[in-house]
Amino acid sequence: MFTTNHFIWLAVCAVILAALIVLMAKFKPSQKLVLTVACICAALSESVKTLSMVEILPTISGGYTVYIDTQNLPFHLCSIQIFIIFAVRFMKEGKLRDTLLAFMYPTCALLPVLALMIPNVFSYIDVSDAFTAAMPYQYFLYHTMLIALGVYIAMTGAAKFRVRHIFYSVAIMCIIAYAAIYLNSAFASVDYSQGYAVVENITNFFYVYGLPKTLNLFTITEKWQWLAYFFCLVALVVVVFTIMYLPFILKNRKREALAADAEGEDFESDIFDGGEL
């Protein structure tokens, strides 16, 4: 993290993102086209990750098996976006689709930025291989695509932001985070050979158990510490989502108020022109 190769990748991502934003602003592609391209990019990205990280390992009973480390399963939020992108692309217009689009705005525009700043890809790929291995390309380009998609949703007003979307998005985040607790426990293995429980093969999907290892700011050793961390995480999500949604909510309300005033003026004009008063 924050090595020369990391900074080079950040510069590459910044250039690509700027180019995508300029192209979207100039050509104004349809929502269907953007989501279709996002589906293709997401599918290619996950395929590259799977084919790059798959291993052939021996089994206890003899022979060999195909294996992918649980850390690389698509259960982090940025990976979950793959399923949301496909759902929104092929879903009919309606409240559910609008809610998912609204959810995608902050989770695509902001969270992948944090992922680029703290790339966990370098926890299993040596930094010296940042431009010779496939995984860094998958990681940095995929997250750049997500940011561009989040910016597109904000630029075009693809989602009609309302106050309810804050509550819906926070609720979706909490549901996913709660499910991640079960996933992390399901993928973990416990060793009792030393007379007490020692957890092995730890996953931390959604970072519900603590911050990424690359940050290493504190260590959670007590249950109350984890509860404090978890609820601070929820509070942070509420604050960030509210800040990101609020300008668009106020803008939409102002636009609707102006439209209502204009309709009222047109109605009064029609009455006077008709000679009824």
Side-chain angles (χ1 to χ4, degrees), residues 93-113:
E93 295 285 343
K95 288 185 178 181
L96 178 58
R97 187 176 187 275
D98 197 52
T99 298
L100 291 177
L101 276 169
F103 176 76
M104 288 170 66
Y105 158 56
T107 54
C108 284
L110 177 62
L111 297 183
V113 175

Side-chain angles (χ1 to χ4, degrees), residues 247-261:
F248 296 98
I249 293 171
L250 295 177
K251 183 179 179 181
N252 286 337
R253 284 189 173 182
K254 184 177 180 180
R255 184 187 296 119
E256 290 170 0
L258 291 173
D261 290 341

Side-chain angles (χ1 to χ4, degrees), residues 138-239:
Q138 180 273 334
Y139 185 91
F140 285 98
L141 296 180
Y142 172 70
H143 286 89
T144 302
M145 183 273 291
L146 288 182
I147 298 171
L149 184 57
V151 171
Y152 174 83
I153 294 172
M155 286 173 53
T156 60
K160 304 299 184 289
F161 296 105
R162 298 289 187 272
V163 173
R164 67 175 181 271
H165 288 134
I166 298 175
F167 297 99
Y168 290 161
S169 295
V170 170
I172 292 172
M173 288 283 282
C174 289
I175 291 170
I176 296 174
Y178 200 81
I181 297 174
Y182 289 96
L183 280 174
N184 290 330
S185 297
F187 290 129
S189 56
V190 183
D191 180 17
Y192 293 96
S193 61
Q194 300 181 36
Y196 53 88
V198 178
V199 180
E200 300 175 336
N201 193 36
I202 303 169
T203 59
N204 189 18
F205 294 125
F206 225 65
Y207 302 119
V208 292
Y209 285 175
L211 295 174
K213 289 182 179 179
T214 46
L215 286 181
N216 196 28
L217 298 178
F218 55 81
T219 301
I220 295 175
T221 58
E222 300 289 341
K223 185 175 181 179
W224 71 265
Q225 294 174 339
W226 174 73
L227 289 171
Y229 166 80
F230 187 81
F231 286 110
C232 284
L233 207 62
V234 173
L236 180 62
V237 166
V238 173
V239 171

